[in-house]
Amino acid sequence: MPSSTVKQYIFHCNLKEQPKDEHEDVPNTPEPYIATPELIRAVNLAIYLRRPLLLEGEAGCGKTRLARAVAYELRLPFYRWDVRSTSKAQEGLYSYDAILRLHDVEVKRHGGETGTKRDPANPKDYRRFGPLGKAFCVEDRPAVVLIDEIDKADLDFPNDLLAVLDDPWEFKILETEETIAIGNPALRPIVFITSNKEKGNLPAPFLRRCIYFFLKFPDQQLEAIINAHYRDKKGPNADLIKAAATKFLDVRQDSALFKKPGTSEFLDWVEALRGFELPDQKPPTVSPEALPPYPSLLFKLRADWLKYTGA
Amino acid sequence: MEISEARRIVLALFAYRRRAGLNLGVSELLAALDAVAGGWGVEDDADLHAMLELLWCKSAEDSRELGVQWENVLAYLATHKDSPTLPETTPESSRPFETPPRLEQSLPPQETIPPRAAASESTPGWNVLPVKAPFTPAHMDEAPDFHSYGPVSSRFMTYTWRYLRRPLPDGPADVLDIAATVERAARQGFFIAPVYRRRERNHAHLLMFLDQNGSMMPFHRFNRDLATTAQHDSALMRTDVFYFHNLIAQRVYADPHLTQPVELSEILGACTVDTVILIVSDAGAARGYRNSRRIRETAVFLARLKQVAAHVAWLNPMPQARWENSSAEMIARFAPMFQMDPEGLSNVIDVLRGQVMGQYAS
């Protein structure tokens, strides 16, 4: 059970500007995010139980942005780990530069200066923490960790990760014989994991440990999202937003599309409609009948492109 | 909702889902109880349902299933106010694929009037008796064998291919050998450069012959999964996939639609000492044929394969029980044949790695 000595964090998804924080890893620029009540519930349940929140859903629906929005609102340090096909679970914890240490020993022995504070006698100077390792080291509050696109990694990756994200919440650094552990359950990191199901389902033991949420496309909230993003800047006028949102949803309704544009494409598109102008042309208008302007921002496959450019 | 009431629902639903054969562990139950104790899901039924859905469901199908089970358990608990969880499992309902406990059978007769209505009634008056239609379970195929003999997931295939390897250190020399580096520095008395080893590469060459069309029609998806996982998601150095229909003669085909013929001799000529061959076919077991021509020609073909490849194995999508009295029974004597399930696929890999399986040990 989470102890009561550290405050209980609750995510409300408000768009208020937050005060600056002295911890260098706390995000200090706002992350406008509109979440449904169901998603907010999922986030808070994940925070309460400190189980990883696994987010799946269409590309460009805000899977990746959520973690940073949570970290910003709750003023928690944020560590992002972009998983690649060669990623190993240990890289997220730490890496150890043995060769640099050997190099420093040699330089020192021959009277040279390394020009740094590294001391070859101290192995701790040669270990570097990865995103997850850093999250284990934050002492006064839990950290937010984003493990992005976990499905890209090797098949074993999720299972290896499981060993760390579970009791007893510790890992060993072999080279320095340290054990990094989180004593206070309230300081366990809040982990967000995103997946696109590139290699099929994740392994069952991993899924069992996670809280699962499927992000749907925010049909009803497009206007709210635009307003959140242009809160401090001069935004497009309300008519344009409304017309753009309607047109965009129209396009998405088209079941013959091979790849549906997501929220991030919508934001780019609205920004182009608002601010982009060619010198000798009138700004384009969005009308329900005509083809959408700037199709380059919406259609990323040849077949879709041909269909919507009228070519 | 009281916390105790929420706990009761969680426990009952957990027991119900376990009995339905769903893979839920104690840690999931504890997590749900933890959440309830912390004030999650105690607002109302919908709140609790949403919380359990987040914790216990990992796909849209899971959620649908939970919805149905939720209704059943709530209906049951409403009529059984005092029992802590679901009644003792009757032998009948403990069978894995018969989910719903028969409510109308287990209801004791005196409880047909729900106690809730009776307790809250202080003044006499007319009242509608709450009626719930008895739950009638949908008819289910009683074929547990069919269920356990399920298809092999592509994740499992990818895992399995990994065991097929012949590693040789002939890749680029870019693996740092720390021990050798330190040792050399110590021997020479100074450090010049780190020592690198060559990277190991998997030299296994897999040659797959997949039976297409006809009786193999239902297994095309499996064929495709096998081919794509071996070609794209495995560390095999080379995977060649060819297709045929029923019999392998002079030619096989490079595409699943059997339109691009390739000479068999050409393919077998390219085999090396690292080549292993996997054949996927029902060998007549799907329709129960016993065709002596098919057996004879397959035997000749298998003998030819054994001359060029290190190991040959056969994967049969039909369960072993169906091989009897069909060509498959005979062909299984010429090559190690396994049925298509996770165990069978693992055995196939063992054979291809050169490990001798019990029944083929002679």
Side-chain angles (χ1 to χ4, degrees):
Chain A
M1 294 294 297
S3 102
S4 52
T5 50
V6 176
K7 81 170 197 200
Q8 185 66 47
Y9 289 94
I10 295 171
F11 176 62
H12 297 287
C13 193
N14 63 25
L15 296 165
K16 272 201 275 303
E17 189 108 2
Q18 301 290 342
K20 279 229 180 314
D21 196 282
E22 69 279 2
H23 196 294
E24 58 170 359
D25 294 321
V26 176
N28 275 328
T29 48
E31 181 75 48
Y33 197 93
I34 303 282
T36 57
E38 293 81 37
L39 179 56
I40 293 174
R41 182 208 301 268
V43 170
N44 284 324
L45 186 60
I47 294 174
Y48 179 76
L49 292 173
R50 290 302 148 82
R51 290 186 161 226
L53 177 60
L54 174 64
L55 296 164
E56 283 186 350
E58 260 179 72
C61 276
K63 295 194 292 291
T64 305
R65 294 294 182 107
L66 175 67
R68 195 172 177 279
V70 171
Y72 177 75
E73 182 180 321
L74 302 180
R75 310 315 289 147
L76 299 175
F78 173 64
Y79 302 105
R80 176 177 174 154
W81 182 9
D82 290 303
V83 175
R84 288 173 297 163
S85 58
T86 52
S87 291
K88 296 268 172 284
Q90 173 163 328
E91 286 166 24
L93 299 172
Y94 75 95
S95 58
Y96 187 81
D97 200 341
I99 287 297
L100 180 65
R101 189 175 173 200
L102 186 58
H103 171 265
D104 283 357
V105 168
E106 292 298 319
V107 168
K108 236 188 174 135
R109 208 164 55 147
H110 295 285
E113 272 300 318
T114 54
T116 59
K117 286 196 188 131
R118 288 192 306 263
D119 177 11
N122 181 10
K124 287 183 187 176
D125 288 353
Y126 297 91
R127 59 143 161 69
R128 251 175 256 139
F129 285 109
L132 207 49
K134 283 182 192 156
F136 270 65
C137 297
V138 181
E139 273 166 0
D140 56 336
R141 55 192 123 179
V144 174
V145 181
L146 168 65
I147 303 176
D148 204 11
E149 305 198 34
I150 192 170
D151 50 330
K152 272 205 244 159
D154 192 61
L155 288 174
D156 288 330
F157 184 86
N159 287 335
D160 292 350
L161 210 55
L162 210 55
V164 187
L165 297 180
D166 204 344
D167 282 334
W169 291 84
E170 63 176 34
F171 64 93
K172 287 196 170 58
I173 301 181
L174 291 176
E175 286 84 350
T176 59
E177 294 179 350
E178 285 171 289
T179 301
I180 310 286
I182 301 179
N184 185 349
L187 294 179
R188 289 172 185 167
I190 301 164
V191 181
F192 292 84
I193 299 171
T194 73
S195 160
N196 286 324
K197 279 203 178 179
E198 263 186 33
K199 286 185 187 162
N201 287 329
L202 293 162
F206 181 78
L207 287 177
R208 286 168 67 163
R209 181 83 198 119
C210 294
I211 290 171
Y212 177 86
F213 193 85
F214 188 87
L215 271 174
K216 293 192 198 74
F217 183 79
D219 285 342
Q220 306 303 318
Q221 295 158 311
L222 283 181
E223 290 172 47
I225 290 172
I226 289 292
N227 290 330
H229 274 263
Y230 289 99
R231 218 156 38 89
D232 308 323
K233 297 166 272 184
K234 184 186 168 299
N237 62 43
D239 292 342
L240 177 64
I241 298 179
K242 205 165 189 66
T246 316
K247 183 76 201 167
F248 189 78
L249 288 178
D250 262 11
V251 168
R252 276 185 55 90
Q253 294 274 311
D254 180 352
S255 55
L257 271 187
F258 287 96
K259 185 197 166 300
K260 293 188 175 178
T263 320
S264 53
E265 273 113 332
F266 179 65
L267 286 171
D268 287 348
W269 190 56
V270 170
E271 173 63 20
L273 290 173
R274 183 192 69 87
F276 180 69
E277 255 174 70
L278 290 171
D280 49 351
Q281 280 177 22
K282 278 197 296 184
T285 52
V286 186
S287 73
E289 298 81 32
L291 292 168
Y294 305 127
S296 338
L297 288 171
L298 298 180
F299 308 107
K300 311 290 168 73
L301 289 174
R302 184 165 163 269
D304 295 345
W305 163 269
L306 288 180
K307 182 168 177 193
Y308 274 93
T309 50
Chain B
M1 196 195 297
E2 295 281 311
I3 286 191
S4 60
E5 174 67 14
R7 278 179 68 91
R8 190 162 154 251
I9 298 179
V10 169
L11 284 169
L13 191 62
F14 180 79
Y16 193 88
R17 280 171 72 80
R18 286 285 312 173
R19 208 173 304 158
L22 287 165
N23 195 3
L24 274 182
V26 176
S27 84
E28 275 123 312
L29 174 63
L30 291 179
L33 292 178
D34 261 5
V36 166
W40 286 86
V42 293
E43 227 166 80
D44 53 15
D45 283 0
D47 193 30
L48 184 61
H49 183 227
M51 191 273 285
L52 291 177
E53 191 174 339
L54 282 170
L55 268 179
W56 289 353
C57 297
K58 311 296 172 192
S59 65
E61 198 184 331
D62 268 2
S63 307
R64 255 196 314 280
E65 223 167 289
L66 182 75
V68 174
Q69 292 166 341
W70 172 261
E71 295 288 315
N72 290 345
V73 166
L74 278 202
Y76 182 84
L77 289 179
T79 49
H80 288 68
K81 265 288 177 196
D82 24 284
S83 70
T85 51
L86 290 187
E88 285 306 304
T89 316
T90 57
E92 195 182 19
S93 59
S94 70
R95 277 154 67 175
F97 296 102
E98 196 161 13
T99 18
R102 299 265 162 79
L103 289 182
E104 69 276 20
Q105 283 175 8
S106 50
L107 280 176
Q110 73 273 20
E111 282 194 27
T112 38
I113 298 164
R116 181 194 287 180
S120 62
E121 202 72 75
S122 54
T123 52
W126 292 106
N127 213 341
V128 183
L129 273 182
V131 175
K132 177 122 189 140
F135 176 71
T136 41
H139 175 74
M140 275 182 106
D141 253 345
E142 295 216 356
D145 281 348
F146 177 76
H147 285 274
S148 62
Y149 181 73
V152 186
S153 74
S154 55
R155 172 169 281 266
F156 185 82
M157 289 180 194
T158 314
Y159 272 127
T160 313
W161 291 130
R162 201 187 293 174
Y163 288 96
L164 183 62
R165 58 185 164 198
R166 299 174 74 87
L168 281 179
D170 69 342
D174 63 352
V175 182
L176 175 65
D177 190 338
I178 296 178
T181 308
V182 173
E183 201 251 17
R184 194 204 277 177
R187 191 152 35 84
Q188 293 174 331
F190 51 86
F191 168 69
I192 303 175
V195 178
Y196 290 104
R197 272 184 292 120
R198 280 180 168 273
R199 202 190 299 173
E200 285 193 342
R201 288 195 302 179
N202 185 1
H203 272 247
H205 171 209
L206 175 68
L207 191 52
M208 256 200 276
F209 293 107
L210 305 178
D211 194 354
Q212 288 283 116
N213 298 346
S215 56
M216 283 296 286
M217 210 63 108
F219 307 111
H220 277 186
R221 191 204 145 88
F222 171 74
N223 273 0
R224 196 184 60 218
D225 280 357
L226 260 186
T228 49
T229 52
Q231 281 173 317
H232 304 299
D233 290 336
S234 73
L236 301 170
M237 189 146 96
R238 216 175 110 202
T239 307
D240 294 317
V241 182
F242 296 100
Y243 301 86
F244 65 98
H245 179 55
N246 278 350
L247 268 175
I248 303 187
Q250 293 308 309
R251 286 178 202 86
V252 289
Y253 300 86
D255 66 313
H257 306 293
L258 311 182
T259 56
Q260 301 165 26
V262 183
E263 287 288 331
L264 187 62
S265 53
E266 224 171 88
I267 298 167
L268 297 187
C271 289
T272 66
V273 67
D274 295 318
T275 304
V276 292
I277 297 180
L278 173 62
I279 302 166
V280 182
S281 167
D282 66 320
R287 291 174 183 169
Y289 293 146
R290 191 188 183 100
N291 182 336
S292 56
R293 179 172 157 252
R294 184 170 182 169
I295 298 171
R296 203 167 46 242
E297 294 195 13
T298 308
V300 170
F301 168 68
L302 283 173
R304 205 170 152 200
L305 291 188
K306 283 178 185 165
Q307 289 173 351
V308 295
H311 305 284
V312 180
W314 192 301
L315 196 57
N316 195 324
M318 295 306 294
Q320 194 155 8
R322 294 279 303 273
W323 300 354
E324 213 173 301
N325 295 328
S326 74
S327 315
E329 192 188 9
M330 295 300 292
I331 292 172
R333 291 166 199 265
F334 299 115
M337 187 185 284
F338 301 94
Q339 63 182 15
M340 169 183 106
D341 58 6
E343 204 188 340
L345 188 59
S346 304
N347 289 345
V348 161
I349 297 296
D350 279 347
V351 167
L352 294 182
R353 292 167 74 195
Q355 291 178 356
V356 186
M357 301 297 297
Q359 58 172 314
Y360 298 102
S362 60

